[in-house]
Amino acid sequence: MRKAAILIILAVLAFSCKEVKKEKAIALKDNKSLVGHWDNFQQYWLENTDTDIHRVETDDKHRHLSLRIDEDNEGDFYVELREGRNGQHLVEKMTLTKVDLSGPDFKIDGDTLFVSGRKQFENKEPYKFIRDRKFSGWIEVPLPQYGDSIYRESNLEIGDQGGMAELNIEGVQYTAELTQLLFGHKLPIMKLAIYDMPMDSIEINSQSISYTWLNPSAKRTGINLRKVITGWTFIEPGFINSDNTKFKKK
């Protein structure tokens, strides 16, 4: 009887070990979803916007950081930590192992990545990064000083976490911005805005000349103000916009 009980206990322990290994394998496999670009613009904006209805009150404000993550041949992850709009300032390059990522400092929930507990992320509350969806687009403006001429800049790329792109033409200053925001702390939207100023002078509270908002999962958006027109399409396999196809009459 005692021997039978021991055998049962051993069988249970063996099954439990298999379950632990299975859970660990799933966790390691999930790390592949880390590959890509991540940005905490939404968190940064909520803590710094000058509009009371949107602002989150905190004494421990986060820096505007972004992550660019790739997996190497050994299964480790190469990470670029950047700061500011469009990740223009490189802060640090890091290599994270699967052991690093399986610890308490990194938690992922769908397209949201929480990072804490490391020297680069010293805040009491975790840094909240959202996966940056890339859009391809164009900006077009008439040039009345040259008659009926129209200037068009195509094949531009911006992310939807505060990404920006500007016209590269002397004497004309327009910038497009794409952001994922929480209106009034509750309503998620994607906003496309147009500014009549150069990109490097735009701050989170700068006033746009026009903007539109739509569902955050939308794959196509644009604005037509006559004096400036812009259109953006989510970059995915087989995506079509006016930059990569020629429309033919039937």
Side-chain angles (χ1 to χ4, degrees):
M1 188 72 175
R2 183 179 296 174
K3 183 177 180 180
I6 292 173
L7 289 175
I8 291 173
I9 292 172
L10 290 174
V12 171
L13 289 174
F15 178 78
S16 299
C17 290
K18 289 182 179 179
E19 289 299 300
V20 171
K21 290 180 180 178
K22 182 179 179 181
E23 290 179 3
K24 186 176 181 182
I26 291 174
L28 292 176
K29 183 179 180 180
D30 285 346
N31 286 340
K32 290 184 180 296
S33 62
L34 292 173
V35 173
H37 291 186
W38 303 79
D39 198 295
N40 78 323
F41 176 81
Q42 184 179 111
Q43 179 185 46
Y44 179 79
W45 177 79
L46 285 168
E47 294 176 352
N48 292 276
T49 181
D50 58 7
T51 308
D52 291 340
I53 190 176
H54 306 311
R55 187 171 60 248
V56 171
E57 297 294 344
T58 177
D59 295 326
D60 195 20
K61 293 185 177 181
H62 296 76
R63 298 157 61 193
H64 182 193
L65 299 177
S66 59
L67 303 172
R68 299 180 182 182
I69 305 178
D70 291 300
E71 186 177 17
D72 65 19
N73 295 330
E74 302 299 322
D76 293 331
F77 291 85
Y78 177 76
V79 181
E80 284 190 2
L81 175 63
R82 293 181 170 271
E83 185 165 12
R85 289 293 188 96
N86 298 322
Q88 68 264 45
H89 303 302
L90 176 63
V91 176
E92 186 175 356
K93 294 181 179 180
M94 302 177 282
T95 298
L96 300 177
T97 66
K98 293 179 179 179
V99 174
D100 293 327
L101 296 171
S102 63
D105 296 346
F106 296 88
K107 296 181 181 180
I108 188 168
D109 181 10
D111 286 329
T112 304
L113 174 64
F114 298 91
V115 184
S116 60
R118 302 176 71 87
K119 67 176 183 178
Q120 301 90 346
F121 310 97
E122 297 176 347
N123 286 52
K124 296 177 183 178
E125 295 295 325
Y127 270 76
K128 179 182 177 182
F129 295 93
I130 300 176
R131 188 182 297 279
D132 199 18
R133 300 164 70 228
K134 299 298 182 182
F135 282 70
S136 175
W138 49 270
I139 305 174
E140 184 177 285
V141 296
L143 299 177
Q145 63 269 42
Y146 299 110
D148 295 329
S149 297
I150 293 177
Y151 177 80
R152 178 187 176 97
E153 196 151 338
S154 303
N155 295 310
L156 301 171
E157 182 176 314
I158 56 177
D160 65 352
Q161 299 300 318
M164 298 189 296
E166 67 179 345
L167 286 177
N168 183 24
I169 179 173
E170 186 177 355
V172 181
Q173 297 179 336
Y174 287 112
T175 299
E177 174 195 50
L178 195 60
T179 58
Q180 295 274 1
L181 300 174
L182 285 175
F183 183 87
H185 302 274
K186 295 180 180 179
L187 181 63
I189 63 169
M190 179 165 68
K191 184 186 79 170
L192 173 63
I194 298 294
Y195 298 88
D196 56 351
M197 60 183 74
M199 184 169 63
D200 60 8
S201 66
I202 297 174
E203 300 177 348
I204 60 168
N205 291 312
S206 296
Q207 186 172 3
S208 62
I209 59 172
S210 183
Y211 67 90
T212 185
W213 67 92
L214 58 162
N215 191 299
S217 61
K219 295 184 177 182
R220 196 182 300 275
T221 182
I223 292 179
N224 188 336
L225 303 178
R226 300 304 181 188
K227 63 180 180 180
V228 57
I229 307 171
T230 186
W232 299 89
T233 302
F234 176 58
I235 299 175
E236 59 184 340
F239 83 96
I240 296 176
N241 66 6
S242 58
D243 289 335
N244 62 17
T245 186
K246 293 182 179 179
F247 296 98
K248 297 180 180 180
K249 294 182 179 180
K250 294 183 179 180

